[in-house]
Amino acid sequence: MNADIRWLDDPEIFRVNQLPAHSDHEFYASEEEWSSGKNSLVQSLNGNWQFWYSPNAMSRPADFFRMDYDASDFDRIQVPGHIELAGYDRIHYINTMYPWEGQVYRRPAYSLGKNDRGRGMFSQAEYNPVGSYRREFDLEKGLQGKQVFIRLEGVEQAMYVWLNGSFVGYAEDSFTPSEFDLTPYLKAEGNLLAVEVHKRSSAAFLEDQDFFRFFGIFRNVSLYAKPRMHVEDLWVKPVWHPDGSGSISAEFRVSMEEGVSGRMEILLKDRKERTVFTHEILFPGGCCRGVGCVMGQKDLGTVEAWDIGSPCLYRLEVRLYDTRGRLSEVVPLQLGFRRIEIKDRVIRLNGKRLIINGVNRHEWSPESGRCIGMEEMKRDMEILLQNHINAVRTCHYPDQTPWYRLCDENGICLMAEANLESHGSWQKMGEVEPSWNVPGSLLQWKEAVLDRVRSNFEWFKNHPSVLFWSLGNESYAGDVLLAANAWLKERDDSRLVHYEGVCRNREYEDGISDVESRMYAPPDEVRAWLENDPKKPFLMCEYMHDMGNSLGGMASYMELLDQYEMYQGGFIWDFIDQALYVEDEMTGHPALRYGGDFDDRPSDYAFSGNGIIFADRTEKPAMQEVRYFYGKYR
């Protein structure tokens, strides 16, 4: 198969040869590697890459992936990172509108009729920048002789991948890891990896979030190899029961090299390292790739619950052995016993009413934009805990895996949001006008949206901190989101599903979202809703909007918690200012600049600055209000 530039225009083509999403579990080749944290099965490709910037697809070096291509005049760029922050293209912040509005006329394919397919919309656009990345590498010893895969954790917005001159695959969805099988094209030494990244594709209509519009390879890139026996996917389902007991079941998918057979050993240990139970599953010879197996429910007696602020974690250990007793793989997984449910129209966690003292959190650094690491994540967690913040909505896309683990370990509950926002397709100049809304009920957009929702679930399904799946943000409502809600409810009955947009289209309120979710409704409006015999518990997925000298009047929302049990709290908009350091023209010192400060038009200007902390993670005065009220109602 050859790459086709026309895929950029087609909403029905969003993955080519991309592997299905799976659980984000770690795996090691030996006990020693697990203990040390050094993994011979993983090789990082982060670092200095060759790079060429083009203003559009027509002017890109189309053959740059070939082994004999002369790239001696290419620049160098750091991966991960945003292309704009490396000095190319232009920095642009905008909120609800699509970034091309007022400059180029575009409507989503099929939104104006079945014959309106959007051909050439992005593939032939005069402005649609392209980043052509090249990286040479030798395969490290631990990966040689094995099946090897590449994982690109975040690439914005559409990418084509080649290895050693052969086309590997294509993918969209900027904030979900993409994996491809490199094995057929791989050599021990002298490999050439080429990645072509396009700033916009049909996915741009689904990724209209309130943020700076960057592009490039902005999260980690790595290779990983599979041992002879490998856990491809696992879903462990621990349950806390009202009598204080626990039970656990699990689903596994295991691959084995041809002719290999063996067994799986499963242990569960509590936080004092005591073994709670063991289980064994045998794999007969002749099984090959993708063997599915199930561990039925195990009743465990009394267990310690995972709870907000009290996150008791157990550890599941999975080991794969061949028939000669040789260890092939170790998989450690932290898990927690908890129960999230709606009872008497009230959300309850482990039988107690859930009160959400939450924030919406973008991934952000004033130096590197949405390209952040563990240092920023750990500091964010410290700030949450110091200020009695107990919940985070991952607005409006999946975060990096380490963040979910930090929330597991620190007792922060998550509303895990899929990468979807199509704000500009239904709200124009502040008015609801969904004449060309996507995804709406357009069948041609259905699979792309379902794929984003499925992938969000598959990657993060094992995290006890995830109490809500969120279908996305501000995309109106229609049959596509109805189908996405139905898929989640059928697949996972252990969590709640959230979506705010049904308040704009009440036709779908009985089929989408377990909760009534609103943005910025005044307290009296919330009170009126709660006093009118509502069907669902109520939460504010965005409220307070901390822009400028804001956050006054928080008490009027917090008092509702005392007055109405069905009111569950909410998530402040938002956690951190989106602002970038630049050198001040007058002083020569670093200064923070917001939307509109980069001659970016159209722009929503300082609307990028509505966090309860500044971009440098200094607390704003408004945090005093947050700390007081969230501490009072924790």
Side-chain angles (χ1 to χ4, degrees), residues 210-321:
D210 173 10
F211 58 21
F212 281 85
R213 309 304 171 100
F214 295 130
F215 84 117
I217 304 173
F218 71 99
R219 288 181 180 170
N220 298 323
V221 182
S222 58
L223 306 175
Y224 71 90
K226 293 181 183 178
R228 299 178 71 205
M229 303 175 68
H230 172 62
V231 177
E232 299 275 354
D233 181 68
L234 73 161
W235 184 18
V236 183
K237 307 173 192 177
V239 178
W240 180 90
H241 299 290
D243 63 358
S245 67
S247 62
I248 190 170
S249 59
E251 300 174 9
F252 300 90
R253 192 173 74 251
V254 177
S255 64
M256 292 172 282
E257 291 182 1
E258 194 164 353
V260 173
S261 59
R263 62 187 176 89
M264 175 191 291
E265 179 184 271
I266 304 166
L267 292 83
L268 181 68
K269 293 185 177 180
D270 64 18
R271 60 180 174 179
K272 295 182 179 180
E273 294 292 322
R274 296 174 299 198
T275 299
V276 177
F277 84 89
T278 62
H279 185 74
E280 186 174 88
I281 297 175
L282 300 177
F283 300 107
C287 295
C288 197
R289 299 180 183 179
V291 179
C293 55
V294 174
M295 181 185 77
Q297 180 174 307
K298 304 290 181 184
D299 295 322
L300 304 177
T302 301
V303 296
E304 294 183 74
W306 185 97
D307 211 334
I308 290 176
S310 179
C312 178
L313 290 172
Y314 288 67
R315 187 175 70 245
L316 193 79
E317 299 175 10
V318 178
R319 293 175 175 82
L320 297 177
Y321 297 92

Side-chain angles (χ1 to χ4, degrees), residues 437-452:
N437 168 238
V438 287
S441 297
L442 298 173
L443 291 177
Q444 296 89 348
W445 292 83
K446 179 178 178 180
E447 286 306 314
V449 171
L450 285 176
D451 184 72
R452 289 164 182 250

Side-chain angles (χ1 to χ4, degrees), residues 65 109 152 160-161 175 187 202 298 349 439 490 511 536:
F65 60 87
L152 299 108
Y160 297 81
V161 181
F175 297 91
K187 303 181 294 185
S202 60
K298 304 290 181 184
L349 176 62
E490 181 178 353
K536 304 174 184 178

Side-chain angles (χ1 to χ4, degrees), residues 421-593:
E421 180 167 343
S422 61
H423 206 151
S425 75
W426 64 270
Q427 189 175 49
K428 289 90 172 180
M429 304 301 291
E431 299 297 324
V432 175
E433 198 285 289
S435 61
W436 47 272
N437 168 238
V438 287
S441 297
L442 298 173
L443 291 177
Q444 296 89 348
W445 292 83
K446 179 178 178 180
E447 286 306 314
V449 171
L450 285 176
D451 184 72
R452 289 164 182 250
V453 170
R454 284 193 296 257
S455 295
N456 187 41
F457 163 78
E458 295 293 354
W459 281 108
F460 304 117
K461 61 196 172 195
N462 288 306
H463 291 278
S465 56
V466 176
L467 302 186
F468 301 86
W469 298 117
S470 182
L471 301 178
N473 184 63
E474 292 179 311
S475 297
Y476 201 57
D479 291 349
V480 173
L481 287 172
L482 184 69
N485 189 96
W487 186 90
L488 279 171
K489 297 305 292 183
E490 181 178 353
R491 188 75 175 99
D492 184 8
D493 62 1
S494 68
R495 295 178 173 95
L496 305 182
V497 176
H498 163 271
Y499 182 67
E500 175 265 346
V502 291
C503 74
R504 308 282 185 174
N505 188 349
R506 290 293 177 186
E507 177 184 350
Y508 291 91
E509 69 176 318
D510 291 335
I512 299 178
S513 189
D514 290 315
V515 297
E516 174 69 16
S517 177
R518 296 287 299 277
M519 293 183 180
Y520 311 113
D524 286 345
E525 190 174 315
V526 177
R527 183 175 288 104
W529 179 270
L530 290 167
E531 290 180 350
N532 195 31
D533 193 25
K535 302 175 184 177
K536 304 174 184 178
F538 191 107
L539 62 83
M540 300 287 288
C541 66
E542 294 180 19
Y543 79 128
M544 296 309 299
H545 204 277
D546 190 38
M547 183 177 179
N549 188 24
S550 299
L551 221 84
M554 192 173 177
S556 58
Y557 283 101
M558 303 306 292
E559 289 167 356
L560 296 173
L561 291 168
D562 294 325
Q563 298 166 12
Y564 303 97
E565 194 175 28
M566 290 178 66
Y567 181 68
Q568 314 275 175
F571 300 85
I572 292 169
W573 187 267
D574 62 359
F575 179 63
I576 187 168
D577 278 3
Q578 296 179 71
L580 292 164
Y581 275 129
V582 301
E583 182 180 300
D584 184 83
E585 299 87 347
M586 299 298 293
T587 67
H589 297 150
L592 288 170
R593 294 289 184 261

